[in-house]
Amino acid sequence: MTKHACQWPPGSIDEIVERYQRPLIAYAARMMGGDWQGAQDAVQETFLRLCRESPDDVQNRLAAWLFSVCRSRVIDMQRTSHATPVDASRIPMPDPSPGPETTAIDAEDRSHLDELMDRLTPRQQEVMRLRMTAGLSYREIADVTGLSVSNVGFHLHEAVRSLRSAFPA
């Protein structure tokens, strides 16, 4: 086996890519100020790095590992390009699978929710998206962001409280 050969069983990487590619690209694009090409590059490099890792080393924490590596890659890309930090709260989060009917029916509520999400702090937005879009646990979000588990819980609680108080019942 060469140094760059994939250490995962055949087909397993395909399943992982199928499951995590869209949420990782959305996460990376948001961090990169809407740069979808850069986000795709970061995610591709994340999956390439996964191939070089032993399944035994990351399988029990796969989602957190993927988002953490992707986050680090985006930060590295921003540093090397001398990118000016962008207010990520201004970039709309794409919905990965709505049909035209759903989009038309939910457009007003979705627009209102996007406006309310924009009012959250950048940290609250990040933990909310990692929880809701990526489905990560508090521990996984802590691993990705470097926050403590209790701090993740605090930011999520505050975000939900803010959204509930502002969104009509």
Side-chain angles (χ1 to χ4, degrees):
M1 187 180 289
T2 66
K3 181 178 177 182
H4 298 289
C6 189
Q7 297 189 31
W8 290 72
S12 62
I13 292 292
D14 292 338
E15 292 172 15
I16 293 168
V17 169
E18 178 69 28
R19 179 172 180 195
Y20 290 102
Q21 183 175 23
R22 290 179 105 173
L24 282 168
I25 289 174
Y27 178 69
R30 185 160 182 82
M31 288 183 68
M32 298 182 82
D35 177 3
W36 288 97
Q37 183 62 48
Q40 290 172 338
D41 291 346
V43 170
Q44 181 178 11
E45 290 182 37
T46 299
F47 288 129
L48 289 172
R49 183 161 169 210
L50 178 65
C51 280
R52 294 189 298 263
E53 294 291 321
S54 166
D56 295 334
D57 292 342
V58 297
Q59 202 156 25
N60 291 334
R61 55 187 180 89
L62 180 62
W65 187 93
L66 288 168
F67 279 90
S68 182
V69 169
C70 183
R71 183 178 199 258
S72 294
R73 183 63 198 130
V74 167
I75 291 169
D76 289 346
M77 290 169 72
Q78 289 174 330
R79 282 185 189 139
T80 58
S81 70
H82 305 295
T84 305
V86 172
D87 181 1
S89 67
R90 299 289 170 226
I91 298 140
M93 183 72 172
D95 189 346
S97 61
E101 305 84 24
T102 303
T103 302
I105 293 169
D106 294 339
E108 187 173 326
D109 284 344
R110 191 175 322 247
S111 174
H112 186 64
L113 183 57
D114 286 343
E115 288 174 22
L116 295 175
M117 285 289 288
D118 287 345
R119 295 180 193 166
L120 298 176
T121 67
R123 181 65 78 186
Q124 289 172 343
Q125 291 178 39
E126 182 178 22
V127 297
M128 279 291 289
R129 284 182 169 76
L130 287 170
R131 180 73 174 152
M132 304 310 291
T133 304
L136 299 185
S137 68
Y138 284 31
R139 164 80 345 229
E140 291 169 326
I141 295 169
D143 290 344
V144 170
T145 61
L147 298 170
S148 68
V149 173
S150 60
N151 207 340
V152 168
F154 171 78
H155 285 295
L156 283 170
H157 173 78
E158 289 298 307
V160 169
R161 186 182 59 74
S162 294
L163 292 173
R164 275 192 186 141
S165 67
F167 204 83

